[in-house]
């Protein structure tokens, strides 16, 4: 047999064993569902915490700095510096094996908290930049209409800021999907862990890992295309 044809046949057999045989593709899809769910809840948690941090930093820069506000701003800066300055893998190990060591909690919950906290440090700066990008006259206009600072922020400033930062938040979600590949370290059966398990069974690690990489790539390409369409529609609405 032609060596090339023989090699292709062996590759086909390897991928068949890694994906089709004994319905192993179901393990990949279940694992990827876990990956998407974990990423979605993590980014929601990250946006929630990030919004609070961004507002604290914005108020510290634009309002009279009382003692409480100065302390909160100091805590926010330290929090962001620590989270952005340490690897997410180390954070995951600390949260699960130390903080969650005495708790009977699901490793998925630990993963959501870890990646949500990690994401919040980056999202905070994105949201703060989005708020800063809104013309300062918007706040003055709201206050001149009789709205309080909080009402102006919620009704006028944040809607404009969120519209500007949604593409960046979409990119954060895409990044988070890829970062969660390490969550198998704490026994979460995500798609990467599923591929490793298949490799242990078949004694072939390359085919399942290539299948996993292809699944990530397809989802990231789809999300990137959807994000691009969304950005173009936002640009069109701005020109109207």
């Amino acid at each position: 047999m032609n060596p090339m044809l023989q090699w292709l046949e062996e590759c086909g057999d390897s991928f068949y064993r890694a994906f089709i045989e004994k319905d192993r593709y179901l393990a990949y899809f279940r694992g990827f569902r876990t990956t998407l769910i974990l990423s979605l809840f993590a980014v929601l948690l990250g946006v929630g915490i990030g919004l609070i941090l961004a507002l604290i930093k914005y108020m510290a820069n634009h309002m009279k700095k009382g003692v409480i506000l100065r302390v909160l701003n100091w805590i926010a800066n330290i929090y962001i510096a620590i989270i952005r300055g340490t690897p997410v893998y180390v954070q995951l190990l600390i949260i699960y094996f130390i903080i969650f060591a005495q708790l009977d909690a699901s490793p998925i919950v630990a993963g959501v908290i870890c990646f949500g906290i990690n994401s919040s440090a980056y999202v905070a700066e994105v949201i703060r930049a989005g708020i800063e990008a809104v013309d300062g006259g918007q706040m003055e206009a709201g206050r001149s209409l009789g709205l309080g600072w909080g009402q102006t922020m919620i009704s006028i400033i944040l809607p404009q800021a969120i519209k500007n930062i949604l593409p960046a938040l979409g990119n954060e979600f895409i990044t988070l999907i890829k970062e969660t590949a390490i969550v198998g370290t704490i026994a979460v059966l995500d798609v990467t862990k599923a591929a490793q398990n298949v490799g242990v069974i078949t004694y072939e690690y390359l085919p399942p890992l290539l299948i996993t990489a292809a699944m990530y790539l397809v989802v990231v390409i789809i999300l990137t295309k959807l994000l691009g369409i969304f950005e173009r529609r936002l640009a069109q609405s701005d020109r109207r």
Side-chain angles (χ1 to χ4, degrees):
M1 180 183 290
N2 186 298
M4 179 60 71
L5 292 177
Q6 183 177 359
W7 180 80
L8 290 174
E9 184 177 348
E10 290 175 355
C11 287
D13 291 340
S14 296
F15 279 95
Y16 177 83
R17 289 191 294 272
F19 194 71
I20 304 298
E21 190 175 76
K22 297 184 179 179
D23 295 333
R24 290 191 176 115
Y25 61 89
L26 295 176
Y28 293 95
F29 291 133
R30 284 194 294 266
F32 209 83
R33 181 183 61 187
T34 300
T35 296
L36 292 177
I37 291 173
L38 192 153
S39 301
L40 177 60
F41 282 101
V43 80
L44 291 175
L45 177 62
V47 169
I49 299 175
L51 178 60
I52 295 172
L53 295 173
L55 290 175
I56 290 173
K57 290 174 68 65
Y58 178 83
M59 287 188 293
N61 291 331
H62 295 273
M63 299 176 67
K64 293 181 180 179
K65 295 184 178 181
V67 176
I68 295 178
L69 189 56
R70 283 201 298 268
V71 171
L72 291 176
N73 186 49
W74 180 80
I75 293 173
N77 287 329
I78 295 296
Y79 173 92
I80 292 173
I82 292 174
I83 298 301
R84 295 178 68 176
T86 55
V88 66
Y89 182 66
V90 175
Q91 295 168 14
L92 181 65
L93 296 180
I94 291 173
I95 288 175
Y96 185 68
F97 290 109
I98 297 178
I99 297 177
F100 273 55
Q102 305 301 323
L103 303 176
D104 186 20
S106 166
I108 294 180
V109 175
V112 168
I113 292 174
C114 172
F115 290 106
I117 289 175
N118 182 266
S119 179
S120 68
Y122 297 91
V123 170
E125 292 301 316
V126 171
I127 295 177
R128 185 191 60 79
I131 295 174
E132 295 281 3
V134 177
D135 189 273
Q138 298 289 319
M139 176 62 74
E140 296 175 4
R143 299 301 298 273
S144 66
L145 292 173
L147 298 177
W149 188 92
Q151 290 175 308
T152 304
M153 178 61 67
I154 294 172
S155 302
I156 298 177
I157 305 298
L158 282 180
Q160 296 180 64
I162 290 173
K163 184 178 180 180
N164 293 332
I165 66 175
L166 276 178
L169 293 180
N171 286 327
E172 176 64 21
F173 179 56
I174 291 173
T175 301
L176 202 57
I177 290 176
K178 294 181 291 183
E179 287 182 345
T180 57
I182 64 171
V183 80
T185 307
I186 60 172
V188 174
L189 191 59
D190 70 324
V191 64
T192 304
K193 187 65 174 179
Q196 292 174 337
N197 291 343
V198 171
V200 171
I201 295 172
T202 62
Y203 299 102
E204 295 175 305
Y205 287 93
L206 183 59
L209 291 177
L210 289 177
I211 291 169
T212 300
M215 293 178 73
Y216 275 110
L217 181 61
V218 168
V219 171
V220 168
I221 289 175
I222 292 173
L223 290 176
T224 302
K225 292 291 185 182
L226 292 175
L227 188 59
I229 294 172
F230 183 67
E231 288 180 7
R232 286 193 294 272
R233 290 190 175 180
L234 282 179
Q236 290 174 357
S237 65
D238 287 339
R239 290 193 293 267
R240 291 176 183 173

